[in-house]
Amino acid sequence: MEFSQVLADNTNIIIAQWVVAVREDRQIESADDLSYTAIKNHIPDVFKAMVTVLSQSQESDIKSIVTASWQHGLLRAEQGFDPSEIAREYRLLRKVIFDTIEADLLQGTPAEIIRYMRLIDAVIDEAIARCFHSYVGERLRELEHLQASLALHNEELTRLVTSNEDKLSQLAHELKHPLTAIIGYSDLFLRQQRREVARRDNTVNIEHIERVLRNGRHLLRLINNVLELSRYEAGKIQLQSAPVNIRDLINNVCEMLEPLAAEKNLAILVNWVQAPSEIITDGFQLQQIITNLVSNAVRYTESGNISIVCETVDDQKWAIAVSDTGIGIAEKDQTKIFEPYFRVSSKDRPYLPESTGLGLAIVVRLVKLLQGEIYLVSKEGVGSTFTVTFPLKVKT
């Protein structure tokens, strides 16, 4: 019996059932918001290569699996899958294949059954290995881009530290931990790679890369915040006024921060019924203000929701308020909240490690740049509301 033909005849059924299985698997969270096509990805190509490999005339030609599984790994890296999710979706593929062809498989001789089960397992293992290899490659390319970006910031950061000696110890403290992790894990990964040990399981190496990237991103965010503050203080930020659709801008911010809120099961509620239809301002700087306020609300809220209310105040002004149900800010700290490097903490927990203490300092300066005013109402254990008023048209 030619089981490769059985697989070929059941291709569409197997792929459809596999997509359903991936969607229903709660341990593959990265697929939750993907479309049918995005989940399917390059699996049809992987499956076609599998059929070719399993055919009696070409059973030794394992190379046809390489390209398809390689592309699958690249796209999964771009979609934000982690290694365990990729491994799990291949395990689901193996299960769906055997469930679908079980009846046909049992019609063969014991030797045929063993032979094809071994071949299918071998092909899927090879696909996983190639997929992981391309996934690691994509993460390494991202690491290289991150390294290049950090290098470009180095000279400006050096000048900044030199001109701000009083902040040097605080800045060095913030840079120390993520930078140490980057150096340590990079060195460990490189030493392991130099050994060139042929292993199918690359999970450990991948975890090292993920830690490097996570700490690198935090370091880069800190550096970018410091540089943004420096540019404002030096008067280098110039207004670029243009008509802005405030609803579209808020929607973009919400879409960007939705995954961060979803991780904590927080809802982002938006009310823009009375919002102005159009304003004249610097859209980039305004988006940065709203992004910092909403991300800050998410960071300091463990349960409840984040509320965004946008409305027209009068024929001259409009306002936006960002509220949370987070830890709140003590009254004694409310006068310090917009100072650089100041971070909110509560009785139950110290300040968050990913906080830089620069987000609100940047916000208050950009609000001033856009000729607005910012107000805070907060109570410990209840939450905070930041309200910002802006002119409908900034003066240039």
Side-chain angles (χ1 to χ4, degrees):
M1 181 177 293
E2 181 54 72
F3 285 107
S4 62
Q5 187 59 47
V6 174
L7 281 178
D9 294 340
N10 287 278
T11 295
N12 293 334
I13 295 174
I14 291 173
I15 291 174
Q17 291 179 351
W18 174 78
V19 171
V20 171
V22 170
R23 274 183 165 164
E24 293 178 348
D25 194 312
R26 291 299 86 206
Q27 295 186 45
I28 309 181
E29 296 179 356
S30 298
D32 288 349
D33 299 323
L34 296 181
S35 65
Y36 180 93
T37 302
I39 294 176
K40 187 170 68 172
N41 190 345
H42 290 277
I43 285 297
D45 297 327
V46 173
F47 201 81
K48 182 178 179 181
M50 187 183 303
V51 171
T52 301
V53 171
L54 292 175
S55 65
Q56 291 181 348
S57 59
Q58 301 183 53
E59 67 180 47
S60 62
D61 183 16
I62 203 72
K63 293 182 180 180
S64 60
I65 204 76
V66 172
T67 301
S69 52
W70 183 277
Q71 293 298 326
H72 181 72
L74 288 177
L75 191 52
R76 284 298 187 246
E78 293 173 5
Q79 291 170 336
F81 278 60
D82 63 41
S84 63
E85 291 176 319
I86 296 176
R88 190 166 182 81
E89 67 174 2
Y90 270 106
R91 286 197 293 271
L92 288 175
L93 180 61
R94 178 188 277 114
K95 182 179 183 302
V96 170
I97 288 174
F98 283 124
D99 287 348
T100 304
I101 68 167
E102 180 179 6
D104 294 287
L105 196 59
L106 291 176
Q107 294 179 22
T109 66
E112 287 179 320
I113 294 173
I114 293 173
R115 173 174 171 272
Y116 277 98
M117 288 184 68
R118 285 177 175 173
L119 277 173
I120 290 172
D121 281 339
V123 169
I124 291 181
D125 286 345
E126 182 67 19
I128 293 174
R130 296 295 179 177
C131 184
F132 273 179
H133 189 55
S134 62
Y135 181 93
V136 171
E138 183 64 20
R139 285 294 186 238
L140 282 174
R141 279 189 289 276
E142 185 180 350
L143 182 59
E144 289 172 358
H145 289 311
L146 183 62
Q147 182 182 14
S149 183
L150 289 172
L152 289 174
H153 282 84
N154 183 60
E155 184 178 347
E156 189 172 356
L157 181 62
T158 301
R159 289 198 301 269
L160 177 65
V161 171
T162 302
S163 62
N164 290 273
E165 294 293 336
D166 57 325
K167 299 296 183 182
L168 180 58
S169 61
Q170 291 172 293
L171 184 59
H173 177 76
E174 295 299 332
L175 294 176
K176 177 182 177 181
H177 297 293
L179 188 56
T180 299
I182 289 173
I183 295 171
Y185 282 109
S186 295
D187 181 65
L188 178 60
F189 176 77
L190 291 174
R191 282 190 282 112
Q192 287 183 336
Q193 292 300 105
R194 290 192 185 103
R195 295 173 188 166
E196 298 182 354
V197 178
R199 295 177 180 173
R200 287 190 179 276
D201 186 3
N202 292 311
T203 303
V204 175
N205 284 346
I206 293 172
E207 288 176 354
H208 292 163
I209 297 174
E210 296 293 350
R211 291 184 183 184
V212 168
L213 291 173
R214 186 163 56 249
N215 284 279
R217 292 188 189 107
H218 173 65
L219 178 58
L220 187 57
R221 185 169 65 253
L222 172 61
I223 293 172
N224 283 333
N225 283 344
V226 171
L227 296 179
E228 184 71 19
L229 195 62
S230 174
R231 291 187 188 103
Y232 177 87
E233 300 294 354
K236 293 182 179 180
I237 301 179
Q238 300 296 324
L239 281 178
Q240 302 292 329
S241 300
V244 174
N245 185 312
I246 186 61
R247 297 188 180 191
D248 288 345
L249 190 148
I250 293 175
N251 189 53
N252 289 339
V253 172
C254 290
E255 287 183 353
M256 179 172 56
L257 296 178
E258 176 61 32
L260 185 65
E263 287 181 4
K264 305 173 79 172
N265 294 318
L266 300 175
I268 299 180
L269 309 176
V270 182
N271 181 350
W272 51 34
V273 175
Q274 299 181 37
S277 58
E278 186 178 86
I279 58 176
I280 306 297
T281 189
D282 188 318
F284 177 79
Q285 306 301 343
L286 177 60
Q287 179 164 319
Q288 187 167 353
I289 291 170
I290 298 174
T291 299
N292 280 359
L293 289 176
V294 177
S295 62
N296 209 55
V298 173
R299 186 176 296 115
Y300 287 97
T301 302
E302 295 304 322
S303 62
N305 58 66
I306 311 300
S307 172
I308 304 173
V309 178
C310 181
E311 60 184 7
T312 302
V313 177
D314 52 38
D315 60 354
Q316 300 273 329
K317 297 180 179 179
W318 68 282
I320 183 167
V322 177
S323 304
D324 62 60
T325 54
I327 64 174
I329 303 168
E331 187 174 350
K332 64 180 178 63
D333 292 333
Q334 292 181 18
T335 57
K336 308 173 186 176
I337 195 68
F338 298 111
E339 295 177 5
Y341 305 102
F342 181 82
R343 286 168 292 187
V344 173
S345 61
S346 68
K347 297 177 182 178
D348 300 326
R349 85 178 168 187
Y351 62 78
L352 299 179
E354 67 269 21
S355 172
T356 64
L358 293 174
L360 290 177
I362 292 173
V363 164
V364 74
R365 285 158 175 77
L366 293 181
V367 167
K368 185 177 179 181
L369 183 70
L370 297 186
Q371 301 155 25
E373 295 179 318
I374 187 166
Y375 309 92
L376 167 65
V377 176
S378 184
K379 185 176 181 181
E380 279 190 287
V382 178
S384 305
T385 298
F386 289 87
T387 303
V388 191
T389 60
F390 294 104
L392 291 170
K393 182 178 181 180
V394 298
K395 299 176 182 178
T396 56

